[in-house]
Amino acid sequence: MKLAKSRWSLLAIVALSFSTSAAPAKKMPSHSMMLIGGGVDVCSTSQQSSCQANVEWPTSFRKGTLHQLDDRYIELIAQDEIWKGGREQVGSQVQAMLKFLKPKLADKTVSERELTRLWRSSDVEAEGVWVSGRELYSALTEGEKNLILDQLEVLQAQSNGKRIEEFVNFNATQNEYSKQLYQQFVALATEVTKKPKPTVLVVTASGRDPYASVDFYLDLFKQVGAEPIWFPVNSAYQAAQNQADPVAACADFLNILRKEQGTYQRGRIYPDLILKQKEFCTAGHKSAVGQLKRADAVFFSGGDQSLLLKALKNKDGTDTPELAQLRQMYERGEIIIGGTSAGTAVMAGGNYQGSSSVMISGGTSIDAILNGAKPLTPELIGCAANNNCGAGIAEDTLTYQPQGGLGLFSYGVLDTHFSERGRQGRLWRLLLDSGSRFGFGIDENTALLVSLRYKGEQLLSSFTVAGEGGVYVAEVTSETNKVDNNFAGLMTHYFTQDDQFSIVQGQILTEFAPWKYAQGDSQQLMVNSADLFSTDTYRTMTNLFCTSQSPQAVGRFAADGQDYQVTVRRAKGSASRQGVYNLGSTKRSYCSYRNFSIQLNIAP
């Protein structure tokens, strides 16, 4: 494979795989998509650790979730169909535990943490058998825990009955990079609007509880200078639209929500938002598409990408009317798309130069290397959390959706929370097993910015990195080979603040930030690291390697009683650049690189 050149012209950029009928009538924005790797810390009443000192809040604000042991809802928990099919005994034990705990709490409202701590420290007799609270709680599936906590949650309301909301204090946010990312997103939206303030639609469909983060994002974008509107498209909404009588289905929305997303009692906790949800549902596709046409940007929150996929794709894989409209506007430069965490991962799809771009849905690096990647259907995504997986599937299994996600980013796999959670191994294995050519791992508090340009009717793109961390790119080349769990010749790159790159005819062309420089050649030490996929160990190792002239770096990890070794080497055409970036009062050192080759084998 021909290796990339070190410099490139911004005019030399690659064609995306989707087609368009005509070039847009107006100038394209500087960036059309912002893909954030999650972990963006903004000062709010639910994230006060992200705030500067001495922040003042309104006299009343939402304090996370609060729970109360009410006989009515204990009975609803006991009667729920979730306990049918072999879980009846567990259901009886749960009912006994809740009745045992009720007099201890009386009418007191407690946080989820307080409730679960009391539960786990208690023992109870159920049907003549003593049950450990710790063991019982650990035996619950995620779906069963959600049922219990949702049913016991209480409305937090003011004296007049109005729901208490969560609040943001954007200016008091400690992390300058977090502030910069949201400011940049709104600034991009101003490039496509004719209004004094850009209209930003907020999509919270990735959340199992799609209402929990609505207050946060509406207040956040308002303070950053936008006119935010909640856009309540979600899997339950699409399910209602697909019914024979959508209007009747929308009137029964809470039951559909429970079936589609395993969410209970949201009408009691968010009465105002459920009213808006039902109105949106009743108005249907035509109204939703109209809202998109009037918007300048759409932002997708984090959660579970499989839920977001169901919110915007039909069961047969075709676009819903909302996604079709969004795709058209995006390709014409009429709207900015942003996402964080699951809202980023779901963007992958389509194919690039004959290689499909799959959507990752779960897994860890260690399990991925040992057992490979499993293509799961949409119905099975998330099965590990609910104890209904097929044979050979466990909680840590690397899973993916072969048909991809929304298909708005066609170059390859998108992974998030990347370096912080040691996800390099799972990205390597997913590329090797799925046939995808490229993989993009985006660190927390970091964004991959996608720029679109037209050459005639051909849509072209380039990429820029912004934020606290970096974007890790892995690629399968003609020199990549794999035998069992061992492989060699996988090429990797790591781009940080202000770096730009593109993919032209299968080659990555890079332009490092002009304020970064080539390091000296005085260091010749070999870099070594153990427990390679523990938190950000891999990034720490390669950063030391990047800033040195060492010939290789070696990392190790143990899995299933066997020691493995990962060797990172400078391949032909490799280069690295480092520098210090100043953002407000924050100074951060970066080191970027291209063409570091990876080999994995059993340790000698």
Side-chain angles (χ1 to χ4, degrees):
M1 175 182 176
K2 186 178 179 181
L3 294 172
K5 300 177 181 178
S6 62
R7 303 288 290 179
W8 57 283
S9 166
L10 288 178
L11 295 177
I13 41 186
V14 65
L16 291 172
S17 64
F18 41 71
S19 61
T20 56
S21 57
K26 64 176 183 177
K27 180 181 178 182
M28 300 291 281
S30 56
H31 305 292
S32 294
M33 180 179 284
M34 173 181 276
L35 300 175
I36 302 174
V40 186
D41 297 323
V42 173
C43 174
S44 71
T45 51
S46 66
Q47 301 180 59
Q48 295 189 33
S49 61
S50 301
C51 303
Q52 300 171 6
N54 303 318
V55 177
E56 294 185 2
W57 299 107
T59 54
S60 63
F61 56 83
R62 181 174 169 82
K63 304 176 180 67
T65 59
L66 294 178
H67 305 267
Q68 186 179 58
L69 294 180
D70 186 302
D71 286 332
R72 294 172 295 173
Y73 303 120
I74 292 176
E75 191 62 29
L76 286 176
I77 292 169
Q79 295 176 357
D80 196 272
E81 61 184 15
I82 201 170
W83 309 114
K84 295 180 180 179
R87 301 291 286 178
E88 291 87 354
Q89 183 180 24
V90 176
S92 297
Q93 292 171 350
V94 166
Q95 183 181 28
M97 176 61 73
L98 293 175
K99 288 185 175 181
F100 173 76
L101 296 178
K102 187 178 185 304
K104 293 180 177 292
L105 293 176
D107 294 327
K108 181 182 177 182
T109 58
V110 295
S111 67
E112 177 182 336
R113 182 178 180 181
E114 291 173 306
L115 176 59
T116 55
R117 183 167 52 192
L118 180 60
W119 176 315
R120 293 168 68 89
S121 63
S122 302
D123 296 329
V124 67
E125 185 179 8
E127 299 178 345
V129 178
W130 281 97
V131 178
S132 161
R134 181 176 298 277
E135 292 178 1
L136 175 60
Y137 195 81
S138 298
L140 296 174
T141 68
E142 286 299 310
E144 291 163 356
K145 291 177 184 176
N146 293 335
L147 164 68
I148 295 165
L149 293 171
D150 281 1
Q151 289 283 12
L152 297 179
E153 188 176 352
V154 297
L155 170 66
Q156 299 178 49
Q158 301 175 10
S159 57
N160 60 4
K162 183 179 179 181
R163 182 177 66 85
I164 296 174
E165 300 178 2
E166 180 181 358
F167 294 98
V168 169
N169 191 327
F170 184 77
N171 291 331
T173 297
Q174 290 188 61
N175 193 301
E176 294 290 342
Y177 288 96
S178 297
K179 294 169 67 175
Q180 183 190 53
L181 290 177
Y182 283 120
Q183 288 169 335
Q184 187 170 10
F185 180 75
V186 173
L188 290 173
T190 64
E191 296 183 24
V192 299
T193 189
K194 296 180 180 179
K195 303 183 289 290
K197 293 183 178 181
T199 299
V200 175
L201 298 186
V202 174
V203 179
T204 56
S206 293
R208 182 193 67 85
D209 180 350
Y211 313 105
S213 62
V214 173
D215 295 345
F216 172 84
Y217 281 108
L218 293 183
D219 201 16
L220 166 64
F221 283 115
K222 181 179 180 180
Q223 292 188 34
V224 184
E227 291 289 349
I229 299 173
W230 179 42
F231 191 62
V233 58
N234 50 47
S235 63
Y237 160 80
Q238 293 296 351
Q241 299 307 310
N242 289 328
Q243 298 295 314
D245 186 349
V247 174
C250 292
D252 191 36
F253 191 84
L254 290 176
N255 281 329
I256 297 177
L257 183 68
R258 177 181 59 80
K259 294 176 182 177
E260 287 291 319
Q261 300 193 204
T263 304
Y264 306 80
Q265 293 291 356
R266 297 305 89 186
R268 174 159 55 86
I269 306 305
Y270 301 101
D272 53 328
L273 297 182
I274 291 299
L275 179 61
K276 292 180 180 180
Q277 175 76 80
K278 289 184 176 181
E279 292 173 349
F280 179 87
C281 183
T282 302
H285 291 308
K286 184 176 181 180
S287 176
V289 168
Q291 284 193 51
L292 280 167
K293 289 180 178 180
R294 296 186 295 272
D296 304 303
V298 179
F299 190 86
F300 296 89
S301 68
D304 182 346
Q305 52 263 44
S306 64
L307 289 176
L308 184 50
L309 186 62
K310 292 170 65 177
L312 288 169
K313 280 277 192 179
N314 294 312
K315 288 185 177 181
D316 63 1
T318 59
D319 289 357
T320 62
E322 293 82 11
L323 180 57
Q325 180 63 37
L326 180 61
R327 190 185 304 280
Q328 181 187 72
M329 294 176 70
Y330 171 65
E331 294 176 9
R332 293 180 59 83
E334 297 170 346
I335 201 165
I336 306 299
I337 295 177
T340 184
S341 191
T344 286
V346 77
M347 297 297 169
N351 68 75
Y352 171 69
Q353 290 194 333
S355 297
S356 60
S357 298
V358 304
M359 185 188 82
I360 196 166
S361 57
T364 65
S365 287
I366 298 295
D367 193 277
I369 289 170
L370 285 177
N371 301 310
K374 310 293 184 183
L376 289 185
T377 61
E379 290 77 18
L380 287 179
I381 292 174
C383 67
N386 294 299
N387 287 352
N388 63 348
C389 299
I393 305 298
E395 187 68 34
D396 293 336
T397 299
L398 173 59
T399 57
Y400 67 97
Q401 172 52 254
Q403 288 73 37
L406 300 183
L408 295 170
F409 184 94
S410 62
Y411 297 99
V413 181
L414 288 164
D415 204 351
T416 58
H417 302 279
F418 193 72
S419 293
E420 293 78 8
R421 299 185 185 180
R423 288 180 163 174
Q424 293 83 3
R426 79 174 193 174
L427 186 61
W428 300 338
R429 191 61 190 261
L430 184 54
L431 296 185
L432 294 170
D433 288 2
S434 70
S436 293
R437 171 74 186 282
F438 293 99
F440 303 79
I442 307 174
D443 291 346
E444 293 182 354
N445 215 17
T446 305
L448 176 64
L449 299 164
V450 183
S451 300
L452 303 182
R453 295 289 182 273
Y454 273 89
K455 185 177 181 180
E457 294 188 0
Q458 187 180 29
L459 187 56
L460 313 171
S461 73
S462 60
F463 310 99
T464 304
V465 177
E468 191 169 13
V471 175
Y472 181 92
V473 182
E475 62 169 310
V476 177
T477 72
S478 60
E479 298 177 0
T480 304
N481 60 82
K482 172 180 172 291
V483 178
D484 298 326
N485 291 336
N486 301 331
F487 66 82
L490 192 71
M491 199 65 70
T492 64
H493 322 267
Y494 189 66
F495 304 113
T496 60
Q497 179 73 44
D498 290 341
D499 291 337
Q500 298 179 332
F501 66 99
S502 67
I503 307 174
V504 178
Q505 296 179 350
Q507 301 177 54
I508 291 184
L509 306 182
T510 65
E511 184 173 350
F512 294 118
W515 48 270
K516 294 172 184 170
Y517 58 91
Q519 66 276 21
D521 58 2
S522 59
Q523 297 179 348
Q524 295 292 334
L525 299 176
M526 182 180 292
V527 180
N528 290 276
S529 184
D531 201 8
L532 191 59
F533 299 118
S534 174
T535 61
D536 67 345
T537 303
Y538 183 94
R539 178 173 61 179
T540 300
M541 180 187 75
T542 52
N543 187 66
L544 290 171
F545 184 50
C546 179
T547 57
S548 75
Q549 289 297 318
S550 175
Q552 67 181 37
V554 177
R556 293 180 174 83
F557 64 94
D560 199 24
Q562 179 67 60
D563 291 331
Y564 289 83
Q565 176 175 293
V566 173
T567 305
V568 185
R569 296 187 179 94
R570 300 177 193 276
K572 183 179 178 181
S574 69
S576 56
R577 299 289 185 272
Q578 60 182 310
V580 177
Y581 185 77
N582 298 322
L583 181 62
S585 60
T586 302
K587 290 186 178 182
R588 186 170 181 82
S589 297
Y590 292 94
C591 193
S592 307
Y593 59 82
R594 70 163 185 265
N595 290 2
F596 282 7
S597 179
I598 303 296
Q599 177 179 328
L600 183 146
N601 55 270
I602 294 175

